[in-house]
Short mmCIF file of all heavy atoms in Angstrom, two decimals:
data_model
loop_
_atom_site.label_atom_id
_atom_site.label_comp_id
_atom_site.label_asym_id
_atom_site.label_seq_id
_atom_site.Cartn_x
_atom_site.Cartn_y
_atom_site.Cartn_z
N GLY A 155 23.51 10.98 19.81
CA GLY A 155 23.59 10.47 18.44
C GLY A 155 23.99 9.03 18.41
O GLY A 155 23.32 8.24 17.68
N ALA A 156 25.00 8.62 19.10
CA ALA A 156 25.51 7.24 19.04
C ALA A 156 24.39 6.27 19.51
O ALA A 156 23.80 6.45 20.53
CB ALA A 156 26.70 7.09 19.96
N GLY A 157 24.12 5.28 18.63
CA GLY A 157 23.14 4.29 18.93
C GLY A 157 21.70 4.74 18.84
O GLY A 157 20.78 4.01 19.19
N SER A 158 21.48 5.92 18.28
CA SER A 158 20.13 6.46 18.21
C SER A 158 19.28 5.79 17.13
O SER A 158 18.08 5.76 17.19
CB SER A 158 20.16 7.94 17.97
OG SER A 158 20.74 8.24 16.70
N GLY A 159 19.96 5.26 16.11
CA GLY A 159 19.23 4.57 15.04
C GLY A 159 18.37 5.47 14.20
O GLY A 159 17.39 4.95 13.55
N VAL A 160 18.68 6.74 14.14
CA VAL A 160 17.86 7.63 13.24
C VAL A 160 17.98 7.15 11.79
O VAL A 160 19.09 7.05 11.28
CB VAL A 160 18.34 9.11 13.35
CG1 VAL A 160 17.59 9.99 12.40
CG2 VAL A 160 18.21 9.60 14.82
N PRO A 161 16.89 6.89 11.13
CA PRO A 161 16.97 6.36 9.76
C PRO A 161 17.47 7.42 8.79
O PRO A 161 16.98 8.56 8.81
CB PRO A 161 15.56 5.94 9.44
CG PRO A 161 14.67 6.66 10.43
CD PRO A 161 15.49 6.92 11.64
N ILE A 162 18.43 7.08 7.94
CA ILE A 162 18.96 7.95 6.92
C ILE A 162 18.33 7.62 5.57
O ILE A 162 18.21 6.48 5.21
CB ILE A 162 20.51 7.74 6.85
CG1 ILE A 162 21.15 8.33 8.11
CG2 ILE A 162 21.03 8.46 5.63
CD1 ILE A 162 22.66 8.14 8.15
N TRP A 163 17.94 8.68 4.92
CA TRP A 163 17.46 8.60 3.50
C TRP A 163 18.48 9.39 2.63
O TRP A 163 19.03 10.40 3.11
CB TRP A 163 16.12 9.31 3.40
CG TRP A 163 14.94 8.66 3.99
CD1 TRP A 163 14.71 8.47 5.34
CD2 TRP A 163 13.83 8.08 3.34
NE1 TRP A 163 13.50 7.85 5.56
CE2 TRP A 163 12.91 7.62 4.32
CE3 TRP A 163 13.45 7.99 1.96
CZ2 TRP A 163 11.72 7.00 4.00
CZ3 TRP A 163 12.24 7.38 1.67
CH2 TRP A 163 11.37 6.89 2.67
N LEU A 164 18.64 8.95 1.42
CA LEU A 164 19.39 9.74 0.46
C LEU A 164 18.40 10.39 -0.51
O LEU A 164 17.48 9.73 -1.03
CB LEU A 164 20.42 8.92 -0.29
CG LEU A 164 21.57 8.36 0.53
CD1 LEU A 164 22.65 7.79 -0.38
CD2 LEU A 164 22.12 9.40 1.50
N LEU A 165 18.60 11.70 -0.74
CA LEU A 165 17.74 12.49 -1.62
C LEU A 165 18.52 12.85 -2.87
O LEU A 165 19.73 13.03 -2.81
CB LEU A 165 17.25 13.73 -0.94
CG LEU A 165 16.84 13.61 0.55
CD1 LEU A 165 16.39 14.94 1.10
CD2 LEU A 165 15.76 12.58 0.72
N GLY A 166 17.80 12.99 -3.98
CA GLY A 166 18.53 13.40 -5.18
C GLY A 166 17.63 13.92 -6.27
O GLY A 166 16.42 13.72 -6.26
N SER A 167 18.25 14.60 -7.21
CA SER A 167 17.57 15.03 -8.43
C SER A 167 18.35 14.62 -9.65
O SER A 167 18.11 15.08 -10.75
CB SER A 167 17.45 16.59 -8.41
OG SER A 167 18.74 17.20 -8.30
N SER A 168 19.31 13.72 -9.43
CA SER A 168 20.07 13.12 -10.54
C SER A 168 20.30 11.63 -10.27
O SER A 168 19.65 11.08 -9.37
CB SER A 168 21.43 13.88 -10.66
OG SER A 168 22.24 13.57 -9.52
N LEU A 169 21.20 11.04 -10.98
CA LEU A 169 21.41 9.58 -10.83
C LEU A 169 22.45 9.28 -9.71
O LEU A 169 22.52 8.14 -9.26
CB LEU A 169 21.89 8.96 -12.12
CG LEU A 169 20.97 9.15 -13.34
CD1 LEU A 169 21.52 8.43 -14.55
CD2 LEU A 169 19.55 8.70 -13.04
N PHE A 170 23.21 10.29 -9.28
CA PHE A 170 24.27 10.03 -8.33
C PHE A 170 23.78 9.44 -7.06
O PHE A 170 24.25 8.40 -6.59
CB PHE A 170 25.04 11.33 -8.03
CG PHE A 170 26.22 11.15 -7.13
CD1 PHE A 170 27.50 10.94 -7.65
CD2 PHE A 170 26.06 11.21 -5.77
CE1 PHE A 170 28.57 10.77 -6.79
CE2 PHE A 170 27.15 11.07 -4.91
CZ PHE A 170 28.40 10.82 -5.40
N SER A 171 22.81 10.11 -6.39
CA SER A 171 22.33 9.61 -5.13
C SER A 171 21.52 8.36 -5.28
O SER A 171 21.45 7.54 -4.32
CB SER A 171 21.48 10.72 -4.44
OG SER A 171 22.31 11.77 -3.99
N ALA A 172 20.91 8.14 -6.42
CA ALA A 172 20.20 6.90 -6.69
C ALA A 172 21.19 5.70 -6.66
O ALA A 172 20.94 4.67 -6.05
CB ALA A 172 19.48 6.94 -8.02
N GLU A 173 22.33 5.92 -7.27
CA GLU A 173 23.39 4.85 -7.31
C GLU A 173 23.92 4.64 -5.89
O GLU A 173 24.15 3.52 -5.49
CB GLU A 173 24.49 5.27 -8.25
CG GLU A 173 24.06 5.25 -9.73
CD GLU A 173 25.18 5.82 -10.65
OE1 GLU A 173 26.13 6.39 -10.12
OE2 GLU A 173 25.05 5.67 -11.86
N LEU A 174 24.20 5.76 -5.16
CA LEU A 174 24.75 5.65 -3.82
C LEU A 174 23.77 5.00 -2.85
O LEU A 174 24.14 4.13 -2.06
CB LEU A 174 25.18 7.00 -3.32
CG LEU A 174 25.88 7.02 -1.95
CD1 LEU A 174 27.15 6.18 -1.99
CD2 LEU A 174 26.21 8.46 -1.51
N ALA A 175 22.50 5.38 -2.92
CA ALA A 175 21.46 4.79 -2.08
C ALA A 175 21.36 3.28 -2.33
O ALA A 175 21.26 2.49 -1.39
CB ALA A 175 20.12 5.45 -2.28
N ALA A 176 21.43 2.91 -3.62
CA ALA A 176 21.37 1.47 -3.96
C ALA A 176 22.59 0.76 -3.39
O ALA A 176 22.48 -0.34 -2.82
CB ALA A 176 21.29 1.31 -5.46
N HIS A 177 23.73 1.37 -3.52
CA HIS A 177 25.01 0.71 -3.07
C HIS A 177 25.01 0.51 -1.54
O HIS A 177 25.46 -0.51 -1.05
CB HIS A 177 26.18 1.55 -3.53
CG HIS A 177 27.51 0.97 -3.11
ND1 HIS A 177 28.11 -0.10 -3.70
CD2 HIS A 177 28.37 1.35 -2.08
CE1 HIS A 177 29.26 -0.37 -3.10
NE2 HIS A 177 29.46 0.51 -2.13
N LEU A 178 24.49 1.55 -0.85
CA LEU A 178 24.51 1.50 0.62
C LEU A 178 23.28 0.79 1.23
O LEU A 178 23.23 0.61 2.44
CB LEU A 178 24.63 2.91 1.17
CG LEU A 178 25.92 3.69 0.85
CD1 LEU A 178 25.88 5.10 1.42
CD2 LEU A 178 27.15 2.91 1.33
N GLY A 179 22.31 0.48 0.39
CA GLY A 179 21.08 -0.14 0.86
C GLY A 179 20.23 0.74 1.74
O GLY A 179 19.78 0.42 2.82
N LEU A 180 20.04 2.00 1.26
CA LEU A 180 19.30 3.02 1.99
C LEU A 180 18.02 3.43 1.21
O LEU A 180 18.00 3.28 -0.04
CB LEU A 180 20.16 4.28 2.19
CG LEU A 180 21.36 4.14 3.13
CD1 LEU A 180 22.19 5.39 3.11
CD2 LEU A 180 20.89 3.79 4.53
N PRO A 181 17.00 3.87 1.91
CA PRO A 181 15.82 4.40 1.19
C PRO A 181 16.21 5.64 0.37
O PRO A 181 17.10 6.42 0.74
CB PRO A 181 14.83 4.71 2.27
CG PRO A 181 15.64 4.87 3.53
CD PRO A 181 16.87 4.00 3.33
N PHE A 182 15.48 5.84 -0.76
CA PHE A 182 15.84 6.89 -1.71
C PHE A 182 14.59 7.73 -2.02
O PHE A 182 13.51 7.22 -2.22
CB PHE A 182 16.40 6.27 -2.99
CG PHE A 182 16.64 7.21 -4.08
CD1 PHE A 182 17.59 8.20 -3.98
CD2 PHE A 182 15.94 7.09 -5.33
CE1 PHE A 182 17.80 9.11 -5.03
CE2 PHE A 182 16.20 7.97 -6.33
CZ PHE A 182 17.11 8.98 -6.20
N ALA A 183 14.82 9.06 -2.05
CA ALA A 183 13.70 9.98 -2.40
C ALA A 183 14.15 10.86 -3.52
O ALA A 183 15.26 11.44 -3.49
CB ALA A 183 13.31 10.82 -1.20
N PHE A 184 13.32 10.99 -4.57
CA PHE A 184 13.69 11.78 -5.75
C PHE A 184 12.89 13.09 -5.74
O PHE A 184 11.68 13.09 -5.54
CB PHE A 184 13.45 11.05 -7.05
CG PHE A 184 14.07 11.65 -8.24
CD1 PHE A 184 15.44 11.44 -8.55
CD2 PHE A 184 13.36 12.54 -9.03
CE1 PHE A 184 16.04 12.04 -9.64
CE2 PHE A 184 13.96 13.16 -10.11
CZ PHE A 184 15.29 12.89 -10.42
N ALA A 185 13.63 14.18 -6.06
CA ALA A 185 13.01 15.54 -6.03
C ALA A 185 12.33 15.87 -7.36
O ALA A 185 12.62 16.86 -8.03
CB ALA A 185 14.11 16.55 -5.71
N SER A 186 11.35 15.04 -7.69
CA SER A 186 10.65 15.22 -8.98
C SER A 186 9.69 16.44 -8.97
O SER A 186 9.15 16.79 -10.03
CB SER A 186 9.88 13.94 -9.34
OG SER A 186 9.33 13.31 -8.22
N HIS A 187 9.52 17.07 -7.83
CA HIS A 187 8.65 18.24 -7.78
C HIS A 187 9.31 19.46 -8.41
O HIS A 187 8.65 20.39 -8.74
CB HIS A 187 8.26 18.56 -6.32
CG HIS A 187 9.43 18.83 -5.42
ND1 HIS A 187 10.44 17.92 -5.15
CD2 HIS A 187 9.72 19.96 -4.70
CE1 HIS A 187 11.28 18.48 -4.31
NE2 HIS A 187 10.91 19.67 -4.02
N PHE A 188 10.66 19.42 -8.54
CA PHE A 188 11.31 20.56 -9.22
C PHE A 188 12.34 20.10 -10.26
O PHE A 188 12.79 20.91 -11.05
CB PHE A 188 11.98 21.53 -8.22
CG PHE A 188 13.25 20.99 -7.55
CD1 PHE A 188 14.46 21.11 -8.18
CD2 PHE A 188 13.19 20.41 -6.35
CE1 PHE A 188 15.59 20.63 -7.58
CE2 PHE A 188 14.32 19.95 -5.70
CZ PHE A 188 15.54 20.03 -6.36
N ALA A 189 12.68 18.80 -10.28
CA ALA A 189 13.66 18.30 -11.25
C ALA A 189 13.14 16.98 -11.82
O ALA A 189 13.64 15.90 -11.45
CB ALA A 189 15.02 18.13 -10.61
N PRO A 190 12.11 17.04 -12.67
CA PRO A 190 11.43 15.83 -13.07
C PRO A 190 12.12 14.99 -14.13
O PRO A 190 11.77 13.82 -14.29
CB PRO A 190 10.10 16.36 -13.62
CG PRO A 190 10.43 17.72 -14.13
CD PRO A 190 11.45 18.28 -13.21
N GLU A 191 13.07 15.54 -14.79
CA GLU A 191 13.59 14.93 -16.02
C GLU A 191 14.10 13.49 -15.83
O GLU A 191 13.90 12.64 -16.68
CB GLU A 191 14.72 15.79 -16.63
CG GLU A 191 14.27 17.17 -17.12
CD GLU A 191 14.22 18.18 -16.03
OE1 GLU A 191 14.56 17.86 -14.85
OE2 GLU A 191 13.81 19.36 -16.32
N LEU A 192 14.82 13.24 -14.75
CA LEU A 192 15.48 11.97 -14.56
C LEU A 192 14.75 11.01 -13.59
O LEU A 192 15.35 10.05 -13.16
CB LEU A 192 16.93 12.16 -14.07
CG LEU A 192 17.87 12.87 -15.09
CD1 LEU A 192 19.22 13.13 -14.44
CD2 LEU A 192 18.05 12.01 -16.33
N LEU A 193 13.54 11.34 -13.25
CA LEU A 193 12.84 10.55 -12.27
C LEU A 193 12.81 9.07 -12.58
O LEU A 193 13.24 8.23 -11.80
CB LEU A 193 11.41 11.07 -12.04
CG LEU A 193 10.48 10.18 -11.23
CD1 LEU A 193 11.03 10.01 -9.80
CD2 LEU A 193 9.08 10.71 -11.21
N MET A 194 12.29 8.72 -13.74
CA MET A 194 12.10 7.30 -14.08
C MET A 194 13.44 6.57 -14.19
O MET A 194 13.57 5.44 -13.75
CB MET A 194 11.29 7.16 -15.36
CG MET A 194 9.93 7.81 -15.33
SD MET A 194 8.90 7.29 -13.92
CE MET A 194 8.67 5.54 -14.31
N GLN A 195 14.43 7.24 -14.74
CA GLN A 195 15.75 6.65 -14.87
C GLN A 195 16.38 6.43 -13.48
O GLN A 195 16.97 5.38 -13.25
CB GLN A 195 16.62 7.49 -15.76
CG GLN A 195 17.99 6.81 -16.11
CD GLN A 195 18.80 7.68 -17.04
OE1 GLN A 195 18.34 8.69 -17.56
NE2 GLN A 195 20.05 7.28 -17.24
N ALA A 196 16.23 7.43 -12.61
CA ALA A 196 16.80 7.27 -11.27
C ALA A 196 16.15 6.14 -10.49
O ALA A 196 16.84 5.38 -9.80
CB ALA A 196 16.66 8.61 -10.51
N LEU A 197 14.84 6.01 -10.58
CA LEU A 197 14.15 4.91 -9.94
C LEU A 197 14.63 3.57 -10.43
O LEU A 197 14.84 2.59 -9.65
CB LEU A 197 12.62 5.03 -10.08
CG LEU A 197 11.95 6.21 -9.39
CD1 LEU A 197 10.50 6.28 -9.79
CD2 LEU A 197 12.12 6.13 -7.88
N ASP A 198 14.86 3.45 -11.74
CA ASP A 198 15.34 2.20 -12.32
C ASP A 198 16.77 1.89 -11.86
O ASP A 198 17.04 0.76 -11.49
CB ASP A 198 15.29 2.29 -13.88
CG ASP A 198 15.79 1.03 -14.55
OD1 ASP A 198 15.13 0.00 -14.30
OD2 ASP A 198 16.80 1.07 -15.26
N VAL A 199 17.60 2.92 -11.83
CA VAL A 199 18.97 2.72 -11.34
C VAL A 199 19.00 2.27 -9.90
O VAL A 199 19.75 1.32 -9.54
CB VAL A 199 19.79 4.03 -11.50
CG1 VAL A 199 21.08 4.01 -10.68
CG2 VAL A 199 20.09 4.33 -12.98
#
Side-chain angles (χ1 to χ4, degrees):
S158 62
V160 176
I162 290 177
W163 291 66
L164 293 192
L165 319 181
S167 57
S168 68
L169 303 183
F170 183 93
S171 289
E173 293 173 348
L174 183 60
H177 180 75
L178 297 179
L180 293 173
F182 174 63
F184 193 85
S186 37
H187 61 299
F188 72 85
E191 295 83 3
L192 294 175
L193 170 61
M194 301 307 294
Q195 189 177 351
L197 292 175
D198 181 61
V199 165

